[in-house]
Amino acid sequence: MGKVDVVYGVPDTVSEAQLLAAFRVVTDNFDESPTRMHVVLGPAGRGMRWFTFACASLGPGRVLMQDHFTESIGDLLAMTVVSRSGYGTDLRSFEAASFTLVRDGAAVHVRGALPAGARRDGDIDQIGLGALGLDDAIRPLDAIEAPTHEVVLRADRARVTALAIVPLAGPILPTRVEAREPYGTIGESFALAPRAIEAADPAALAAHFAAVSARIEAMYVGMFEGRFASEQHELARVGPGIAPLLEAALAAPRPKPRTARLAIAALAELGRGAAAMVPWAAKVSPLLSHTAYCGLVALGERARAALVAARESRKAAHRAVGETLLAILDGAEWEPVRAARAHPFYAVLADKLASQPQEWTFPAFMASAPPEAMWVVAASLVDRHERMRQVLIRVANAHFGAAFGPVADLVLRFPPLADEVLLIAAAKGAPLPTEGELIAATIAAHRAKQDAKSRP
């Protein structure tokens, strides 16, 4: 659907007739003539009705402006306005009649004043809705990411004369409202803190899981990968009480892939769920399989019973998972990798990778690594689904030279990395292919696959 950055809301006490009267003012005062323009609304009920404006293209670089709509209909509707920046998924501001909340990194600034007793934990829309006495209201991004209705304001460039709230007939139009910078005098600031969740409340745990799942499923791919670790921690922070929900999600018939990946990683962080991970390690999907393998490696001894059961399974793919991971737990050839996890450089490298550093910083970082640190690199490759895997392999191969060959050869026995071209070259002592060569090979493989599909 694409991202919506500005959402407007009115209390459920506002009638549809009042909404349509306000939207009439918008279309009458809008001077541009897009081929189509509409208001998109979320579902009614639970205290608030959320909506946003969108239209067909206005021309290169032209967008709708937040204040045009607040100034046009602010006297007709007591609106709450929430916004996020064009580069992020988190809400940046929550503007109500008597206060505005602004998120600034790890801080929340209040312009105006929150009511006495208002909570100050959670995302700013949770804080804002709670301050309005609407703790149970549907959250603005949840409402607008699953819109139900629309009001068409322009059709074939002409103003629509008979406005009506009708079921949404298609996607939200591409030109959206651009958020402006919040302004006003800061009256209070406090640290952004996660919403406290009652670990013994099944409904609260289910809502937490559902909220995280909805958020990650709406992210762009790059954003999701970049925030994977933080979302994993957010899911796991409530403690082991959420583990049964995660295991049930993995056992469901058709779980969403991103949610499944995150559930596996969160279970590993909680030290639970080995039996639930084994079938996912045996999956065809490389991403899901890799995440499950790494989760089982992280569980270590806690996964042994599940791995023994997998080794004795009638399913060949499950047997392969059990045999491989039991070898990593017990095999003599994997002893240097197991020992490497206790090496001081293991934590140093983990911190470096977690910071998502620039690639050019790695050669200097690795220059101080002692010879035995090549096994730390091996442990890092096996323990984590590392986004910077290829950078790490290139730098390690350059730093350790021929000695890295046997290390690469062992890591190739870890199924998720069995086809890693850079490891294959390093194990053979051959020059590593350049990034351009890897891209060309990927394109050629994709074309070959498409050609094979097109043959009768």
Side-chain angles (χ1 to χ4, degrees):
M1 180 182 74
K3 193 158 68 75
V4 172
D5 287 330
V6 179
V7 185
Y8 305 83
V10 294
D12 265 353
T13 52
V14 174
S15 68
E16 289 194 353
Q18 289 173 293
L19 279 175
L20 292 174
F23 297 155
R24 164 64 58 201
V25 172
V26 170
T27 191
D28 287 346
N29 290 347
F30 194 69
D31 294 331
E32 302 289 342
S33 297
T35 55
R36 194 167 187 271
M37 181 177 182
H38 63 176
V39 189
V40 177
L41 300 97
R46 295 174 56 186
M48 288 290 283
R49 187 88 188 257
W50 299 101
F51 56 89
T52 191
F53 298 88
C55 66
S57 176
L58 296 172
R62 302 186 68 190
V63 296
L64 302 174
M65 303 305 295
Q66 175 180 331
D67 283 346
H68 171 80
F69 302 104
T70 52
E71 291 169 2
S72 295
I73 59 178
D75 291 338
L76 300 175
L77 299 175
M79 289 193 298
T80 297
V81 186
V82 298
S83 70
R84 55 184 170 182
S85 73
Y87 302 100
T89 59
D90 295 318
L91 285 177
R92 178 177 59 178
S93 68
F94 183 104
E95 301 181 35
S98 59
F99 64 87
T100 295
L101 302 172
V102 180
R103 178 174 176 174
D104 181 13
V108 177
H109 304 308
V110 184
R111 287 156 181 164
L114 289 172
R119 291 180 63 165
R120 286 162 172 76
D121 61 328
D123 294 330
I124 59 172
D125 61 328
Q126 292 176 303
I127 299 170
L129 288 169
L132 296 175
L134 296 168
D135 287 291
D136 295 328
I138 186 169
R139 297 174 67 178
L141 296 183
D142 292 342
I144 217 63
E145 284 168 1
T148 57
H149 291 79
E150 67 178 333
V151 178
V152 179
L153 305 180
R154 295 288 179 96
D156 295 327
R157 299 191 183 279
R159 291 181 173 88
V160 175
T161 56
L163 299 185
I165 298 176
V166 298
L168 183 63
I172 300 179
L173 293 170
T175 301
R176 314 285 172 77
V177 182
E178 183 175 83
R180 61 155 166 75
E181 288 293 325
Y183 56 84
T185 303
I186 296 173
E188 175 194 1
S189 296
F190 52 87
L192 184 70
R195 171 72 37 131
I197 297 169
E198 177 52 59
D201 181 354
L205 294 174
H208 178 60
F209 182 26
V212 174
S213 175
R215 183 166 62 243
I216 63 168
E217 295 294 342
M219 290 178 182
Y220 299 118
V221 173
M223 185 175 296
F224 167 67
E225 295 297 340
R227 293 187 53 170
F228 186 89
S230 63
E231 295 293 347
Q232 167 195 327
H233 300 326
E234 172 63 14
L235 199 54
R237 72 177 173 86
V238 297
I242 201 170
L245 287 174
L246 305 182
E247 292 171 333
L250 293 175
R254 296 177 65 86
K256 295 177 179 178
R258 288 184 182 181
T259 298
R261 278 187 64 200
L262 202 67
I264 291 166
L267 282 169
E269 183 175 338
L270 292 166
R272 308 292 180 92
M277 293 183 202
V278 168
W280 289 90
K283 291 280 186 184
V284 174
S285 165
L287 278 175
L288 288 165
S289 175
H290 199 160
T291 303
Y293 262 104
C294 291
L296 289 162
V297 168
L299 291 177
E301 282 296 328
R302 291 167 294 186
R304 183 177 292 277
L307 296 177
V308 170
R311 184 179 61 187
E312 298 169 356
S313 171
R314 294 180 179 180
K315 297 180 179 179
H318 289 207
R319 288 199 302 273
V321 172
E323 290 165 359
T324 298
L325 292 174
L326 286 170
I328 292 175
L329 275 177
D330 302 324
E333 68 275 23
W334 288 95
E335 174 55 33
V337 174
R338 294 194 293 271
R341 296 187 180 109
H343 194 286
F345 192 71
Y346 182 84
V348 173
L349 179 58
D351 289 343
K352 176 72 172 178
L353 293 169
S355 70
Q356 300 183 26
Q358 297 292 325
E359 294 183 15
W360 60 266
T361 66
F362 261 88
F365 169 78
M366 194 64 75
S368 61
E372 66 273 17
M374 62 186 176
W375 293 107
V376 171
V377 171
S380 296
L381 293 171
V382 170
D383 290 356
R384 287 179 290 276
H385 182 209
E386 181 50 59
R387 293 180 67 205
M388 303 192 72
R389 177 175 69 246
Q390 292 190 341
V391 175
L392 186 56
I393 294 169
R394 286 188 186 281
V395 174
N397 189 66
H399 179 65
F400 298 115
F404 188 65
V407 177
D409 186 64
L410 179 64
V411 176
L412 284 169
R413 300 181 205 177
F414 187 55
L417 301 179
D419 296 324
E420 175 53 66
V421 175
L422 297 183
L423 283 175
I424 292 171
K428 294 178 178 177
L432 270 57
T434 65
E435 189 170 340
E437 290 170 338
L438 287 176
I439 293 172
T442 301
I443 293 172
H446 177 72
R447 285 176 177 167
K449 185 182 292 185
Q450 294 303 309
D451 290 344
K453 287 182 179 179
S454 63
R455 294 192 193 106

